[in-house]
Amino acid sequence: MKEDASTQNQALAGHLLDHYAGRIARTHRPYVLGLSGLQGSGKSTLARVIKTLAEHRGWPTEVLSLDDFYYSRSEREALAHQVHPLLRTRGVPGTHEIELLLSVLAALPHASDKLPVTWPRFDKGRDTRTPPSRWPRVIRPPRLVIVEGWALGLRPQLDSTLDDPVNELERTEDPDGRWRHWVNKQLRAYQPLWRKLDALVVLQAPNWEVVRNWRSETEKELLARGAPLAMDAESMKRFLAHFERLSRHALATLPVLADTCVEYDTEHHVTGLNHS
Protein backbone atom coordinates (compact mmCIF):
# COMPACT_ATOMS: atom_id res chain seq x y z
CA MET A 1 0.00 0.00 0.00
CA LYS A 2 2.82 2.41 0.90
CA GLU A 3 4.54 1.65 -2.39
CA ASP A 4 1.27 2.41 -4.21
CA ALA A 5 0.95 5.71 -2.35
CA SER A 6 4.53 6.63 -3.20
CA THR A 7 4.01 5.84 -6.90
CA GLN A 8 0.76 7.80 -6.91
CA ASN A 9 2.42 10.83 -5.28
CA GLN A 10 5.28 10.76 -7.79
CA ALA A 11 2.83 10.71 -10.69
CA LEU A 12 0.60 13.41 -9.19
CA ALA A 13 3.55 15.67 -8.35
CA GLY A 14 4.92 15.29 -11.88
CA HIS A 15 1.55 16.10 -13.39
CA LEU A 16 1.12 19.22 -11.25
CA LEU A 17 4.61 20.47 -12.14
CA ASP A 18 3.94 19.85 -15.84
CA HIS A 19 0.65 21.72 -15.60
CA TYR A 20 2.12 24.76 -13.83
CA ALA A 21 5.56 24.74 -15.51
CA GLY A 22 4.75 27.49 -17.99
CA ARG A 23 3.46 29.80 -15.26
CA ILE A 24 6.47 29.07 -13.04
CA ALA A 25 8.83 29.83 -15.94
CA ARG A 26 7.12 33.11 -16.83
CA THR A 27 7.10 34.69 -13.38
CA HIS A 28 10.01 36.91 -12.32
CA ARG A 29 9.56 36.10 -8.64
CA PRO A 30 8.98 32.88 -6.68
CA TYR A 31 5.79 31.15 -7.83
CA VAL A 32 3.60 30.45 -4.79
CA LEU A 33 1.61 27.21 -5.04
CA GLY A 34 -0.99 26.56 -2.34
CA LEU A 35 -1.66 22.95 -1.35
CA SER A 36 -4.84 22.60 0.71
CA GLY A 37 -6.06 19.39 2.29
CA LEU A 38 -7.81 18.33 5.46
CA GLN A 39 -6.15 16.33 8.23
CA GLY A 40 -4.52 13.12 7.05
CA SER A 41 -4.97 13.95 3.35
CA GLY A 42 -1.24 13.55 2.64
CA LYS A 43 -0.53 17.17 1.70
CA SER A 44 2.77 17.34 3.62
CA THR A 45 4.07 14.19 1.92
CA LEU A 46 2.93 15.39 -1.50
CA ALA A 47 4.58 18.78 -0.91
CA ARG A 48 7.91 17.05 -0.19
CA VAL A 49 7.63 14.99 -3.40
CA ILE A 50 6.81 18.10 -5.46
CA LYS A 51 9.87 19.85 -3.94
CA THR A 52 12.16 16.93 -4.85
CA LEU A 53 10.90 16.71 -8.44
CA ALA A 54 10.97 20.50 -8.89
CA GLU A 55 14.59 20.65 -7.75
CA HIS A 56 15.43 17.86 -10.22
CA ARG A 57 14.10 20.26 -12.86
CA GLY A 58 16.46 22.95 -11.62
CA TRP A 59 13.87 24.95 -9.66
CA PRO A 60 15.03 25.74 -6.11
CA THR A 61 11.94 25.07 -3.97
CA GLU A 62 10.88 25.74 -0.39
CA VAL A 63 7.91 24.31 1.50
CA LEU A 64 6.11 26.42 4.10
CA SER A 65 3.67 24.48 6.27
CA LEU A 66 0.85 26.40 7.94
CA ASP A 67 1.29 23.99 10.87
CA ASP A 68 4.80 25.33 11.55
CA PHE A 69 3.32 28.75 12.27
CA TYR A 70 1.17 27.65 15.20
CA TYR A 71 1.54 29.85 18.25
CA SER A 72 3.55 28.25 21.02
CA ARG A 73 1.78 26.44 23.86
CA SER A 74 2.28 29.40 26.21
CA GLU A 75 0.79 31.83 23.67
CA ARG A 76 -2.23 29.59 23.19
CA GLU A 77 -2.58 29.33 26.96
CA ALA A 78 -2.82 33.13 27.02
CA LEU A 79 -5.52 33.01 24.31
CA ALA A 80 -7.39 30.41 26.35
CA HIS A 81 -7.48 32.80 29.33
CA GLN A 82 -8.22 35.93 27.33
CA VAL A 83 -10.73 34.63 24.78
CA HIS A 84 -11.93 31.03 25.27
CA PRO A 85 -10.58 27.81 26.87
CA LEU A 86 -10.93 25.88 23.58
CA LEU A 87 -8.09 27.95 22.11
CA ARG A 88 -5.59 25.87 24.09
CA THR A 89 -5.91 23.39 21.20
CA ARG A 90 -3.83 24.24 18.14
CA GLY A 91 -5.21 24.25 14.63
CA VAL A 92 -8.23 26.50 14.21
CA PRO A 93 -7.93 29.97 12.64
CA GLY A 94 -6.54 32.34 15.23
CA THR A 95 -3.89 29.89 16.48
CA HIS A 96 -1.39 30.63 13.67
CA GLU A 97 1.05 33.54 13.46
CA ILE A 98 -0.11 34.58 10.00
CA GLU A 99 1.83 37.87 10.03
CA LEU A 100 5.08 35.90 10.40
CA LEU A 101 4.23 33.63 7.47
CA LEU A 102 3.44 36.67 5.32
CA SER A 103 6.77 38.25 6.29
CA VAL A 104 8.62 35.05 5.30
CA LEU A 105 6.90 35.05 1.90
CA ALA A 106 7.87 38.71 1.43
CA ALA A 107 11.51 38.02 2.38
CA LEU A 108 12.14 34.87 0.30
CA PRO A 109 12.57 36.68 -3.06
CA HIS A 110 15.48 38.62 -1.49
CA ALA A 111 17.16 35.74 0.37
CA SER A 112 20.98 35.92 0.37
CA ASP A 113 24.00 35.37 2.58
CA LYS A 114 23.50 38.86 3.97
CA LEU A 115 19.71 38.49 4.24
CA PRO A 116 19.06 34.87 5.27
CA VAL A 117 15.41 33.88 5.73
CA THR A 118 14.37 31.60 8.59
CA TRP A 119 11.01 30.35 9.82
CA PRO A 120 9.73 28.16 12.65
CA ARG A 121 9.40 24.42 12.91
CA PHE A 122 6.58 23.11 15.12
CA ASP A 123 7.01 19.89 17.09
CA LYS A 124 3.53 18.33 17.24
CA GLY A 125 4.75 15.62 19.57
CA ARG A 126 5.60 18.29 22.17
CA ASP A 127 2.95 20.76 21.00
CA THR A 128 5.30 23.72 20.72
CA ARG A 129 7.96 25.24 18.44
CA THR A 130 11.40 23.75 18.16
CA PRO A 131 14.43 25.87 19.21
CA PRO A 132 15.36 28.51 16.58
CA SER A 133 18.68 26.73 16.01
CA ARG A 134 16.69 23.98 14.26
CA TRP A 135 14.69 26.28 11.98
CA PRO A 136 15.23 26.24 8.19
CA ARG A 137 17.64 28.89 6.87
CA VAL A 138 17.52 29.95 3.20
CA ILE A 139 20.19 32.09 1.52
CA ARG A 140 18.99 32.03 -2.11
CA PRO A 141 15.63 32.98 -3.64
CA PRO A 142 13.49 29.95 -4.53
CA ARG A 143 11.85 29.53 -7.92
CA LEU A 144 8.86 27.76 -6.36
CA VAL A 145 7.31 28.12 -2.90
CA ILE A 146 4.77 25.54 -1.78
CA VAL A 147 2.48 26.67 1.05
CA GLU A 148 0.58 23.73 2.50
CA GLY A 149 -2.09 23.66 5.18
CA TRP A 150 -5.43 22.24 6.21
CA ALA A 151 -7.55 25.38 5.75
CA LEU A 152 -5.79 27.04 2.82
CA GLY A 153 -8.17 29.09 0.70
CA LEU A 154 -11.07 28.82 3.14
CA ARG A 155 -13.43 31.78 3.44
CA PRO A 156 -15.42 32.66 6.59
CA GLN A 157 -18.84 31.14 7.10
CA LEU A 158 -21.97 33.27 7.23
CA ASP A 159 -22.72 34.23 10.83
CA SER A 160 -26.19 32.69 10.53
CA THR A 161 -24.65 29.25 9.97
CA LEU A 162 -22.80 29.38 13.30
CA ASP A 163 -25.87 29.28 15.56
CA ASP A 164 -26.42 25.51 15.69
CA PRO A 165 -23.58 23.37 17.14
CA VAL A 166 -22.25 20.63 14.84
CA ASN A 167 -21.07 18.23 17.55
CA GLU A 168 -20.94 17.51 21.28
CA LEU A 169 -17.85 19.67 21.81
CA GLU A 170 -19.65 22.77 20.53
CA ARG A 171 -22.82 21.89 22.44
CA THR A 172 -21.14 21.43 25.80
CA GLU A 173 -17.99 23.60 25.68
CA ASP A 174 -19.17 26.43 23.39
CA PRO A 175 -22.90 26.62 24.18
CA ASP A 176 -23.15 30.36 23.48
CA GLY A 177 -21.11 30.11 20.25
CA ARG A 178 -18.48 32.54 21.46
CA TRP A 179 -15.53 30.34 20.40
CA ARG A 180 -16.84 29.47 16.93
CA HIS A 181 -17.79 33.10 16.19
CA TRP A 182 -14.29 34.24 17.26
CA VAL A 183 -12.60 31.56 15.13
CA ASN A 184 -14.73 32.47 12.11
CA LYS A 185 -13.82 36.14 12.53
CA GLN A 186 -10.10 35.27 12.69
CA LEU A 187 -10.39 33.56 9.31
CA ARG A 188 -10.76 37.02 7.76
CA ALA A 189 -7.13 37.75 8.74
CA TYR A 190 -6.04 34.73 6.66
CA GLN A 191 -7.46 36.13 3.42
CA PRO A 192 -4.35 38.28 2.66
CA LEU A 193 -2.29 35.07 2.76
CA TRP A 194 -4.66 33.29 0.40
CA ARG A 195 -4.32 36.22 -2.02
CA LYS A 196 -0.54 35.62 -2.16
CA LEU A 197 -1.15 32.20 -3.72
CA ASP A 198 -0.59 32.10 -7.48
CA ALA A 199 -2.57 28.86 -7.66
CA LEU A 200 -4.50 26.69 -5.21
CA VAL A 201 -4.46 22.88 -5.36
CA VAL A 202 -7.13 21.21 -3.20
CA LEU A 203 -6.86 17.58 -2.09
CA GLN A 204 -10.54 16.64 -1.78
CA ALA A 205 -11.60 13.85 0.58
CA PRO A 206 -14.94 12.04 0.04
CA ASN A 207 -16.44 13.18 3.37
CA TRP A 208 -15.70 14.19 6.95
CA GLU A 209 -15.87 10.63 8.32
CA VAL A 210 -13.04 9.58 6.00
CA VAL A 211 -10.98 12.58 7.14
CA ARG A 212 -11.41 11.44 10.75
CA ASN A 213 -10.14 7.97 9.83
CA TRP A 214 -7.15 9.34 7.89
CA ARG A 215 -6.13 11.64 10.77
CA SER A 216 -6.49 8.85 13.30
CA GLU A 217 -4.10 6.70 11.26
CA THR A 218 -1.52 9.50 11.41
CA GLU A 219 -1.86 9.66 15.19
CA LYS A 220 -1.44 5.89 15.53
CA GLU A 221 1.95 6.29 13.82
CA LEU A 222 2.91 8.98 16.38
CA LEU A 223 1.82 6.68 19.22
CA ALA A 224 3.89 3.85 17.77
CA ARG A 225 6.95 6.14 17.66
CA GLY A 226 6.38 7.11 21.29
CA ALA A 227 5.75 10.81 20.64
CA PRO A 228 5.31 12.49 24.06
CA LEU A 229 1.85 13.96 23.44
CA ALA A 230 0.47 11.42 20.96
CA MET A 231 -3.28 10.95 21.44
CA ASP A 232 -5.30 7.83 22.14
CA ALA A 233 -8.61 7.24 20.33
CA GLU A 234 -10.74 9.25 22.78
CA SER A 235 -8.34 12.20 22.85
CA MET A 236 -8.18 12.13 19.06
CA LYS A 237 -11.99 12.20 18.79
CA ARG A 238 -12.11 15.32 20.97
CA PHE A 239 -9.21 16.95 19.10
CA LEU A 240 -10.86 16.46 15.72
CA ALA A 241 -14.15 17.87 16.99
CA HIS A 242 -12.42 21.28 17.06
CA PHE A 243 -12.09 21.07 13.25
CA GLU A 244 -15.35 19.43 12.23
CA ARG A 245 -17.24 22.64 11.48
CA LEU A 246 -14.63 24.22 9.23
CA SER A 247 -13.65 20.88 7.70
CA ARG A 248 -17.22 20.31 6.54
CA HIS A 249 -17.25 23.91 5.27
CA ALA A 250 -13.99 23.25 3.37
CA LEU A 251 -15.32 20.04 1.79
CA ALA A 252 -18.38 21.94 0.56
CA THR A 253 -16.74 25.14 -0.68
CA LEU A 254 -13.06 24.69 -1.61
CA PRO A 255 -13.41 22.63 -4.82
CA VAL A 256 -15.04 25.54 -6.67
CA LEU A 257 -12.32 27.94 -5.44
CA ALA A 258 -9.46 25.64 -6.51
CA ASP A 259 -7.30 26.00 -9.61
CA THR A 260 -6.77 22.24 -9.38
CA CYS A 261 -8.95 19.79 -7.44
CA VAL A 262 -7.61 16.28 -6.76
CA GLU A 263 -10.39 13.89 -5.75
CA TYR A 264 -9.67 10.86 -3.53
CA ASP A 265 -11.69 7.79 -2.59
CA THR A 266 -11.89 6.31 0.91
CA GLU A 267 -8.68 4.33 0.33
CA HIS A 268 -6.80 7.49 -0.66
CA HIS A 269 -6.61 6.62 -4.34
CA VAL A 270 -6.89 9.50 -6.81
CA THR A 271 -10.22 9.20 -8.65
CA GLY A 272 -10.38 12.59 -10.37
CA LEU A 273 -8.22 15.55 -11.35
CA ASN A 274 -9.82 18.78 -12.48
CA HIS A 275 -8.16 22.03 -13.54
CA SER A 276 -10.25 25.18 -13.67
Side-chain angles (χ1 to χ4, degrees), residues 234-272:
E234 197 56 37
S235 300
M236 174 53 52
K237 182 180 176 182
R238 184 180 186 281
F239 177 70
L240 286 176
H242 292 75
F243 307 103
E244 181 172 355
R245 170 177 293 280
L246 285 181
S247 293
R248 290 184 181 276
H249 178 48
L251 288 168
T253 61
L254 280 184
V256 297
L257 299 175
D259 296 281
T260 299
C261 184
V262 184
E263 297 173 3
Y264 290 92
D265 65 14
T266 57
E267 299 300 315
H268 216 277
H269 298 130
V270 173
T271 59

Side-chain angles (χ1 to χ4, degrees), residues 22 27 55 59 62 71 82 96 109 135-136 142 151 187 198 202 227-228:
T27 185
E55 292 187 335
W59 300 336
E62 300 299 337
Y71 285 122
Q82 294 163 11
H96 303 92
W135 293 5
L187 196 48
D198 292 302
V202 169

Side-chain angles (χ1 to χ4, degrees), residues 73 106 140:
R73 200 162 35 189
R140 52 97 175 94

